[in-house]
Amino acid sequence: MRTFVTVAEQGTVSKASLRLRIAQPALSRQIKDLEEELGLRLFDRVRRRLVLTGEGEQLLGDCRAVFGAVGSLSERAQRLRRADTGVLKVATTPQTMEGVFSVFLHRYAERRPNVQVKLIEAVGPSLLDKLERGDVHLSICLLQTIQTDDHPFDSFPLPPMEFFAASHTSLKLGTEGSIDIAKLAPYPLLLLDSSSVIRGTFNAACRLAGLKPNIFVESRSPQALLALAEAGHGVAIVPSVLPTHRYRLRVARIMHRRRPLREPWAALWDKRRALPPHARDFCEFLAAHIREVSPLLQPNKSKRGDSTKRATVRRA
């Protein structure tokens, strides 16, 4: 087809052979083979020039359209190899969608306007199932979700998910924004139901601390627990990913042996499949966003400073 288009544009076999750097006999043979394959006469010879027939005129337009499409496809492939273009499918929990991605997607779109992020809701083992089936590129989940050492996943670590105790503002819960898990014994607790990975971690920490929790309510909805805590029905134990600022609550980080109660969290992918070039950038920006919007995850600052500065921080 390229030979046909060049001959049509140049008007002679000799000029076309120079343009294409193909010997004239070979070029003439290609034109003859194309005419035989299509069952059409493409050229008339008029005074040593090749003039397109009516059928050749129509075919010339079609060939140019084909070459235009091929060029467009090549350009699109080049754009897809860049880190700032393409589609990224991400599986995550409803809580992470609400607490992280509701804000993060806008910020990431400003950074990478040509990357389309598609969120797929999943919980527990289904986060890994979607990776193995190739339904998504990344899954954002707790590392505890992986049950075996023999797995095909690689990971990018995110700031660890911490455990918060949220209560009515009138309740003096802990000191300096934290409370030891053993100090939760007197309070009625509002907990996620036993199927939650978060609940399993909290139960294990209670056993280590010798705490028998006073369970008032169990629920699959962390928002229900926060609403009950806001109304003064107890202390909600929730992961740091939740947007607790939407409620009027006193929030404290849960500690065990002077260390925050944490659960490792990561972006996972199937290392047997090629990862889009923009996925790494996405993970890095997501980790930075989580650190920024979760001030309780930051290291404790020095306590030195005058009382005016401390009062300003407390008011903020």
Side-chain angles (χ1 to χ4, degrees):
M1 285 197 302
R2 191 178 298 280
T3 299
F4 164 65
V5 171
T6 304
V7 171
E9 291 174 346
Q10 297 299 315
T12 66
V13 172
S14 59
K15 289 182 179 180
S17 67
L18 291 173
R19 174 63 64 87
L20 297 173
R21 298 182 180 181
I22 299 174
Q24 291 187 35
L27 190 148
S28 297
R29 187 165 54 251
Q30 288 183 20
I31 294 297
K32 184 179 178 181
D33 290 344
L34 180 61
E35 288 180 326
E36 290 179 354
E37 184 176 348
L38 298 176
L40 296 172
R41 184 178 178 83
L42 302 176
F43 293 100
D44 288 323
R45 189 175 292 276
V46 179
R47 296 179 183 178
R48 297 184 180 181
R49 291 185 60 83
L50 294 178
V51 179
L52 286 169
T53 63
E55 294 84 355
E57 287 279 4
Q58 296 182 49
L59 188 64
L60 179 63
D62 294 337
C63 288
R64 283 172 172 161
V66 169
F67 289 134
V70 170
S72 176
L73 179 64
S74 177
E75 291 174 2
R76 175 154 180 79
Q78 291 178 11
R79 288 197 301 269
L80 290 174
R81 288 195 296 269
R82 293 163 48 189
D84 60 350
T85 303
V87 176
L88 187 65
K89 298 179 181 178
V90 181
T92 190
T93 63
Q95 291 79 22
T96 307
M97 284 187 186
E98 178 188 9
V100 176
F101 284 101
S102 59
V103 175
F104 175 74
L105 289 180
H106 289 304
R107 299 187 63 183
Y108 188 70
E110 294 175 358
R111 177 186 176 95
R112 293 284 184 259
N114 296 321
V115 175
Q116 182 184 4
V117 179
K118 293 187 175 181
L119 293 182
I120 293 90
E121 181 180 310
V123 294
S126 64
L127 287 161
L128 305 183
D129 293 340
K130 290 185 180 297
L131 277 181
E132 289 198 278
R133 292 198 304 266
D135 295 340
V136 297
H137 300 112
L138 297 172
S139 280
I140 311 299
C141 59
L142 298 174
L143 289 179
Q144 192 181 132
T145 308
I146 303 176
Q147 299 294 328
T148 64
D149 294 332
D150 183 21
H151 61 79
F153 307 118
D154 208 342
S155 63
F156 183 95
L158 299 174
M161 185 178 293
E162 300 198 4
F163 288 71
F164 291 171
S167 65
H168 190 271
T169 54
S170 64
L171 188 62
K172 303 298 183 183
L173 197 64
T175 58
E176 297 184 354
S178 64
I179 182 172
D180 188 271
I181 191 171
K183 299 291 182 63
L184 293 171
Y187 304 107
L189 299 183
L190 315 171
L191 302 178
L192 291 168
D193 76 339
S194 56
S195 65
S196 167
V197 175
I198 293 292
R199 174 65 182 278
T201 300
F202 181 73
N203 287 346
C206 287
R207 289 193 294 271
L208 289 174
L211 169 66
K212 185 176 181 180
N214 174 21
I215 302 174
F216 179 62
V217 170
E218 294 178 292
S219 174
R220 292 185 178 182
S221 169
Q223 293 80 10
L225 301 181
L226 292 176
L228 288 169
E230 183 182 41
H233 293 289
V235 176
I237 308 301
V238 294
S240 57
V241 68
L242 287 176
T244 54
H245 65 275
R246 298 177 183 175
Y247 303 82
R248 297 184 63 185
L249 294 166
R250 183 184 297 273
V251 178
R253 168 194 275 147
I254 299 177
M255 310 289 287
H256 177 54
R257 295 178 180 175
R258 298 183 179 180
R259 293 183 178 181
L261 183 59
R262 292 173 169 173
E263 190 65 55
W265 200 26
L268 303 180
W269 62 88
D270 191 331
K271 55 189 175 185
R272 299 170 299 184
R273 294 185 173 89
L275 200 61
H278 41 269
R280 183 82 181 184
D281 171 81
F282 174 88
C283 294
E284 292 173 353
F285 195 53
L286 177 62
H289 172 78
I290 293 173
R291 282 191 292 269
E292 180 182 342
V293 300
S294 302
L296 288 181
L297 294 178
Q298 303 299 325
N300 291 331
K301 298 184 183 293
S302 172
K303 295 182 180 179
R304 290 180 299 178
D306 58 54
S307 59
T308 303
K309 290 184 178 179
R310 289 198 296 270
T312 302
V313 171
R314 283 197 295 272
R315 286 198 298 272

